[in-house]
Amino acid sequence: MTLIVPGGLVTGTIVPVAAWEEKFVRGLDDHDLRRAVGVARDRIEENRDKGRRLEPDSRFLHLRDVTYRDGRASHLLPFWRGPVAAVSGWTLGEPSRD
């Protein structure tokens, strides 16, 4: 899916919030950012360990395997979370690389 957001295009695969949270937690480990966002990570892990899921928050979209395009530059991201209110348009698929 490709989303039109202020400043560019975001292309990726929509995932449920639980999948985004899991990828987010792994990303924290990869970048040793646990201290900086320990409270958020601990809350996600605690809920997962207790079998609880956070209620889906329809204010946000969650994507994985993301390409963000701003002008001619492309930026690859493992995941992305953005507010639905910032999306001004969308399409299925992605732009050609030409």
Side-chain angles (χ1 to χ4, degrees):
M1 170 157 283
T2 297
L3 308 172
I4 301 167
V5 298
L9 299 176
V10 176
T11 300
T13 302
I14 293 180
V15 295
V17 68
W20 178 85
E21 287 175 347
E22 182 63 34
K23 199 156 184 135
F24 179 76
V25 167
R26 280 187 304 212
L28 293 177
D29 288 340
D30 292 346
H31 295 94
D32 195 28
L33 297 174
R34 186 177 182 139
R35 251 181 265 149
V37 290
V39 172
R41 178 194 164 108
D42 292 344
R43 188 177 122 223
I44 291 168
E45 287 181 336
E46 181 181 319
N47 285 332
R48 185 181 58 215
D49 291 344
K50 291 181 179 177
R52 292 187 303 202
R53 289 275 177 224
L54 297 176
E55 289 298 316
D57 188 340
S58 59
R59 296 175 300 164
F60 296 97
L61 289 170
H62 300 87
L63 304 176
R64 67 174 166 82
D65 303 326
V66 173
T67 302
Y68 176 75
R69 293 173 177 88
D70 59 349
R72 292 187 175 191
S74 290
H75 313 277
L76 301 177
L77 305 167
F79 54 89
W80 179 87
R81 178 182 188 190
V84 171
V87 176
S88 62
W90 63 273
T91 187
L92 297 176
E94 64 182 270
S96 67
R97 304 224 183 256
D98 298 337

